[in-house]
Amino acid sequence: MANYSRAAVQTDVRKLELMDLPIPEVRDDGMLIRVEAVSICGSDVHYFRNKPIFPAVLGHEVCGTIVEMGKDARRTIHAFYGPLSVGDRVCVYPGVTCGKCMDCLTYGDGVYTMCRDTFAYGDFFQYQGEGEPPFTNRVNEWPYVTGGFAEYMYIYPNTYVWKVPDTMPSRIASLIDPLACALRAVELAQRAPGVLEDSMNVNSTALIMGDGAIGLFAAFYARLLGVRQVLMIGASEYKLGVARDFSGVDAGINTLASTYEERREFVLSRTGGRGADTVINCVGNAKAFREGADHMKRMGTMVDIGNAINPAPVEFDVQRDLTFKHGTYMGMMATTPATFNKSFTLLLQDEKFHFDKIFTGQFTLDTLQGALENATSPEYIKGFIQF
Ligand SMILES: [Zn+2]
Ligand SMILES: [Zn+2]
């Protein structure tokens, strides 16, 4: 094994620098993986465009091969389909929670983002608690490599991983994160069987706002759950084509080539004039949320996963949009290893679902900068690095 790891470090706004970071010493409770594939997430693109809080290695949609395990790692690392050994490939849950705070005790260990000290791989972790921070992703502190845009990545104790079978390509395994996020958003719209507010059943129309990877996965999962009709509002003819082909979307409309009135008509004409039962907003734009609320029918449900990043105040008429509509609005931020495991189960059926259709480009650490710069191209859905 080399004694350094090549890594793409974000050092400034829209600036990656290739660096050789030290290979960390593996402590008894951790392990080291050699990254095989890492997918590029929308949040990587967002970080790239902004000033980094400190130089860090981004990338959290990771599949890699275990090259070294601490002597206690089988006990401290949670492995679905384990036990783990050196040489196994794993895909990685992106967050590590403290397991001890009131939120971890209340909601369970591993509930990503609820724990105030959720560490995120490939992100900027700022410790809120007392004493020494238990985790870091500063590239100048051990364990140096805690993001996937690097040849090696350190795995902390209390991380959840999935042992990847030989039949699953690493790039497919790296999709566990974005697929799980979309899956969780759709899950939030599910209700107890038969209740009045049930908006996700064989009579329902699900409207997906957004034709990015999360929107395509959300549409795919809604279709899989058996709703009658899946509609999509997107911004690219190419991606709307992938929505039909991969996600099974019945009809889509391009927001750049239509007026608001035409989109209202698009939804109303397909829902008996009532609107969509479920709306999942996967666009990082408050206007999309606003429009989605208009497309939601009375007694409908709307889930927002898109507005996770930028603050975005929006006009909301409590009487019209909420109370008179008997509407349910949900935000999606928290997720769990159990949700990821459902995603993993779907990835195991790649032969049936063809998840490769989501990928639009293969990159290297050297070409990653260009990939992040061109991520808004209408022909781009999701890129990955194969090492
Ligand atoms: Zn992601
Ligand atoms: Zn906690």
Side-chain angles (χ1 to χ4, degrees):
M1 185 167 59
N3 48 14
Y4 60 84
S5 169
R6 207 160 159 72
V9 179
Q10 191 191 359
T11 53
D12 207 338
V13 181
R14 293 175 187 265
K15 186 161 190 217
L16 297 182
E17 284 182 52
L18 284 176
M19 294 183 188
D20 290 333
L21 299 177
I23 297 275
E25 163 219 347
V26 175
R27 296 191 180 159
D28 288 348
D29 57 4
M31 68 183 189
L32 185 70
I33 62 173
R34 188 180 63 237
V35 179
E36 303 287 338
V38 54
S39 285
I40 302 169
C41 182
S43 52
D44 294 318
V45 177
H46 170 77
Y47 292 139
F48 175 71
R49 290 181 186 152
N50 289 277
K51 183 134 185 92
I53 301 169
F54 45 79
V57 181
L58 304 180
H60 59 270
E61 302 183 352
V62 179
C63 176
T65 301
I66 302 170
V67 290
E68 198 178 337
M69 289 179 78
K71 72 173 169 53
D72 302 328
R74 273 199 184 173
R75 186 171 52 76
T76 57
I77 291 170
H78 313 292
F80 285 82
Y81 314 110
L84 298 176
S85 305
V86 168
D88 287 339
R89 280 184 311 141
V90 291
C91 55
V92 182
Y93 192 66
V96 191
T97 59
C98 80
K100 296 181 179 64
C101 71
M102 183 57 90
D103 289 317
C104 283
L105 294 173
T106 304
Y107 302 111
D109 181 64
V111 178
Y112 188 46
T113 73
M114 283 312 290
C115 173
R116 66 176 185 166
D117 276 320
T118 300
F119 168 81
Y121 290 103
D123 200 332
F124 303 96
F125 175 69
Q126 291 181 297
Y127 186 50
Q128 316 278 317
E130 289 160 25
E132 274 292 292
F135 307 110
T136 178
N137 29 32
R138 293 171 189 269
V139 293
N140 56 353
E141 288 172 21
W142 180 92
Y144 317 108
V145 278
T146 55
F149 296 154
E151 291 172 316
Y152 292 87
M153 182 169 133
Y154 194 76
I155 305 296
Y156 279 117
N158 211 27
T159 300
Y160 293 79
V161 301
W162 285 258
K163 187 164 148 179
V164 174
D166 293 342
T167 48
M168 189 191 289
S170 296
R171 64 179 185 283
I172 300 296
S174 76
L175 293 173
I176 189 172
D177 168 275
L179 178 58
C181 291
L183 194 151
R184 176 91 179 116
V186 175
E187 268 182 342
L188 285 178
Q190 292 183 276
R191 290 294 196 295
V195 299
L196 280 181
E197 293 81 2
D198 176 14
S199 307
M200 185 67 79
N201 58 57
V202 292
N203 286 331
S204 303
T205 293
L207 169 66
I208 312 299
M209 312 278 296
D211 54 11
I214 300 295
L216 294 171
F217 280 141
F220 161 82
Y221 191 57
R223 173 93 289 163
L224 202 59
L225 289 179
V227 298
R228 186 172 69 84
Q229 177 172 239
V230 183
L231 306 178
M232 180 175 281
I233 298 179
S236 151
E237 290 305 323
Y238 171 74
K239 296 187 206 179
L240 286 168
V242 176
R244 279 184 283 271
D245 179 33
F246 166 74
S247 311
V249 163
D250 297 292
I253 186 166
N254 187 338
T255 194
L256 302 178
S258 59
T259 62
Y260 170 83
E261 285 70 29
E262 285 165 342
R263 294 190 294 279
R264 287 290 289 141
E265 183 53 27
F266 168 80
V267 176
L268 292 173
S269 67
R270 286 168 173 80
T271 54
R274 293 157 75 236
D277 301 83
T278 292
V279 179
I280 314 277
N281 179 41
C282 307
V283 182
N285 178 332
K287 285 191 198 137
F289 172 85
R290 177 60 266 170
E291 185 173 324
D294 294 341
H295 295 316
M296 182 186 83
K297 80 168 184 37
R298 294 192 69 206
M299 193 74 88
T301 297
M302 179 162 176
V303 181
D304 192 282
I305 183 175
N307 286 288
I309 289 171
N310 295 313
V314 72
E315 189 186 304
F316 191 83
D317 183 324
V318 177
Q319 185 198 50
R320 181 194 64 193
D321 294 321
L322 182 69
T323 313
F324 274 16
K325 234 177 178 178
H326 194 100
T328 303
Y329 293 88
M330 291 172 158
M332 174 353 217
M333 197 66 199
T335 190
T336 71
T339 296
F340 270 61
N341 196 37
K342 291 179 188 166
S343 165
F344 189 76
T345 300
L346 295 177
L347 295 175
L348 285 170
Q349 300 167 70
D350 183 41
E351 261 185 39
K352 183 158 116 198
F353 297 130
H354 309 291
F355 290 102
D356 265 330
K357 288 177 179 172
I358 285 287
F359 288 123
T360 49
Q362 180 176 339
F363 301 94
T364 64
L365 288 182
D366 297 273
T367 58
L368 178 61
Q369 167 99 22
L372 293 168
E373 276 164 6
N374 296 323
T376 45
S377 144
E379 311 266 290
Y380 174 92
I381 298 172
K382 197 166 190 68
F384 70 101
I385 294 176
Q386 182 81 49
F387 286 87

